[in-house]
Amino acid sequence: MLKFDAELFLKLVEKEGLAFRGQIEEIVDGITKRGYRNIFLIGAGGTIAMMYPYEYILKSNSTIDVHAEIAAEFMVMNHKHFSKDSVCIFTSVSGTTQETVAAAEYCKEKGATTIALVAEPNTPLTQIADYCITTGSETHSFDTFFMLLYMIVFRFMYNNDEFPQYEQFTKEVSLLPRAILDAVKSFDKKAEEFANTHKDTDYHMMVGSGNLWGNTYSYAMCILEEMQWIQAKSIHAAEFFHGTLELVVEDTSVILLKGEDETRPLMDRVERFVEKISKNITVIDTKSFEMEGISEEFRKHFSVSINWSVLSRISVYLERERNHPLTLRRYYRQMEY
């Protein structure tokens, strides 16, 4: 779908996503009242990547003990911080991802509290979780999940007496879909130009940090590698100078995802270096998007959603230019492994 359906996007993300605020607050408030020890953010592939921003947000803004864990590894590692007093949060578009479903069952059996965000109703994950929010549509599901996770995470922080700005924050969450829509419209031409330029590029370095590290990891692995069969490497800006820099040459495609949190200077340093070497640099900077109505204080948090939405437009144009549907797979869910 090359044309961005603004009406459908606003219906699914703005109206339906925000409609869950009351339910989320009831769930989180009930858990807080009963008491909990820590929060586990658990997923696989794109859904663990989706959790990394919220782990970063909690670690840098809260004393709540938080762990983002890859589902399959989590079940075999005997995590010493996990207990029946843990709160375990899962997301899944299909509600059938094997590793995520197994991890949810594992947590439930151990007596932990489980929360799931799922697009498809009446699927295995919806039936396992203690609390489940089902959005009902796979379309724009990641955009909706991001919004729901904002409300969940910041409600936990508010209840922990660490985020008195909660009411103002949730008001601005309601402005986020419009900000995303504006960003997508302003970026669309650049997304198409990127796809035209790079339709035959066979390798990309993607660099990110802070609350955009999850997007960096996800886009390189789940979009470029899985959905387009393009070799890509996700590199954290803090680690770029400990190995990867030696592979940058004049024609290396380097994609820099710049956000607005405390780690931005790490990205600036990488940018200064690659500008000296490569003539093939793409910078996607959330500071270039207006985000009307969003306060300076909260822009750094919402950059996660803005960044992912504009990256998604690149995906649409790569699909067209490469004649490679995003749904095409050689192995994933095509065979036993």
Side-chain angles (χ1 to χ4, degrees):
M1 182 180 66
L2 292 178
K3 183 180 179 182
F4 188 83
D5 191 331
E7 184 176 339
L8 176 61
F9 173 81
L10 290 175
K11 176 186 176 184
L12 293 175
V13 180
E14 181 178 48
K15 295 179 181 178
E16 296 185 11
L18 292 169
F20 293 108
R21 176 184 170 179
Q23 185 179 351
I24 287 171
E25 291 179 352
E26 184 178 350
I27 292 169
V28 174
D29 292 353
I31 293 170
T32 303
K33 187 175 181 179
R34 292 197 306 274
Y36 66 96
R37 180 181 176 187
N38 48 34
I39 295 176
F40 278 77
L41 306 171
I42 302 171
T47 57
I48 184 57
M50 171 177 283
M51 297 302 193
Y52 290 146
Y54 300 95
E55 180 189 41
Y56 177 85
I57 287 169
L58 281 168
K59 283 185 173 180
S60 57
N61 294 274
S62 173
T63 59
I64 296 172
D65 185 31
V66 60
H67 306 268
E69 303 292 345
I70 301 171
E73 182 178 53
F74 168 73
M75 288 190 296
V76 298
M77 71 185 295
N78 191 27
H79 203 301
K80 294 302 183 181
H81 289 264
F82 173 72
S83 72
K84 63 180 179 56
D85 298 316
S86 297
V87 177
C88 303
I89 303 174
F90 305 85
T91 63
S92 175
V93 176
S94 68
T96 63
T97 306
Q98 180 180 348
E99 295 91 342
T100 302
V101 170
E105 288 178 330
Y106 174 86
C107 294
K108 188 79 175 288
E109 289 170 0
K110 298 293 184 180
T113 300
T114 52
I115 303 173
L117 309 179
V118 186
E120 291 295 325
N122 303 315
T123 51
L125 188 55
T126 67
Q127 296 162 15
I128 294 167
D130 296 310
Y131 304 99
C132 184
I133 294 176
T134 306
T135 62
S137 174
E138 290 193 10
T139 307
H140 299 299
S141 56
F142 266 44
D143 295 298
T144 304
F145 287 167
F146 278 134
M147 292 188 66
L148 298 176
L149 286 167
Y150 283 130
M151 290 187 275
I152 291 171
V153 165
F154 282 90
R155 187 66 179 186
F156 272 113
M157 286 171 54
Y158 171 74
N159 287 346
N160 205 45
D161 296 325
E162 294 178 318
F163 194 66
Q165 315 96 306
Y166 177 78
E167 282 301 324
Q168 180 59 36
F169 179 79
T170 51
K171 288 178 183 177
E172 295 189 24
V173 170
S174 71
L175 301 176
L176 183 56
R178 294 283 177 177
I180 291 173
L181 184 57
D182 291 342
V184 166
K185 288 179 178 178
S186 68
F187 186 77
D188 203 62
K189 184 177 179 181
K190 292 179 181 178
E192 185 173 19
E193 289 172 352
F194 179 93
N196 288 334
T197 300
H198 289 287
K199 60 180 180 291
D200 296 319
T201 300
D202 59 5
Y203 174 69
H204 298 278
M205 289 182 180
M206 290 201 73
V207 186
S209 65
N211 62 17
L212 291 190
W213 169 243
N215 288 6
T216 309
Y217 174 75
S218 182
Y219 201 82
M221 182 175 69
C222 299
I223 306 300
L224 295 179
E225 291 185 337
E226 179 184 340
M227 298 185 182
Q228 286 296 298
W229 303 351
I230 297 171
Q231 295 183 63
K233 178 176 174 60
S234 53
I235 309 124
H236 198 290
E239 288 288 274
F240 182 88
F241 294 100
H242 297 274
T244 305
L245 81 166
E246 291 295 338
L247 295 181
V248 180
V249 293
E250 188 176 63
D251 64 347
T252 304
S253 172
V254 182
I255 305 170
L256 305 177
L257 304 186
K258 298 186 72 173
E260 301 173 52
D261 63 31
E262 305 78 4
T263 68
R264 186 177 175 90
L266 304 179
M267 291 298 298
D268 291 338
R269 184 187 180 203
V270 175
E271 185 175 13
R272 287 193 299 270
F273 171 79
V274 296
E275 283 179 338
K276 298 174 184 177
I277 312 296
S278 176
K279 299 184 183 302
N280 201 359
I281 304 168
T282 303
V283 180
I284 302 175
D285 188 347
T286 62
K287 269 196 173 182
S288 66
F289 302 110
E290 185 177 354
M291 297 195 218
E292 185 176 354
I294 305 298
S295 63
E296 192 66 28
E297 180 182 9
F298 300 143
R299 283 182 64 100
K300 66 179 181 180
H301 303 312
F302 294 144
S303 66
V304 181
S305 291
I306 297 293
N307 174 265
W308 187 256
S309 66
V310 298
L311 284 173
S312 297
R313 293 307 292 165
I314 291 177
S315 307
V316 170
Y317 287 113
L318 280 175
E319 178 180 46
R320 181 191 72 182
E321 294 302 316
R322 292 170 52 78
N323 191 29
H324 187 122
L326 296 170
T327 55
L328 181 62
R329 303 288 187 277
R330 278 188 289 232
Y331 311 121
Y332 183 63
R333 299 198 180 196
Q334 304 300 311
M335 60 182 289
E336 291 295 325
Y337 45 80

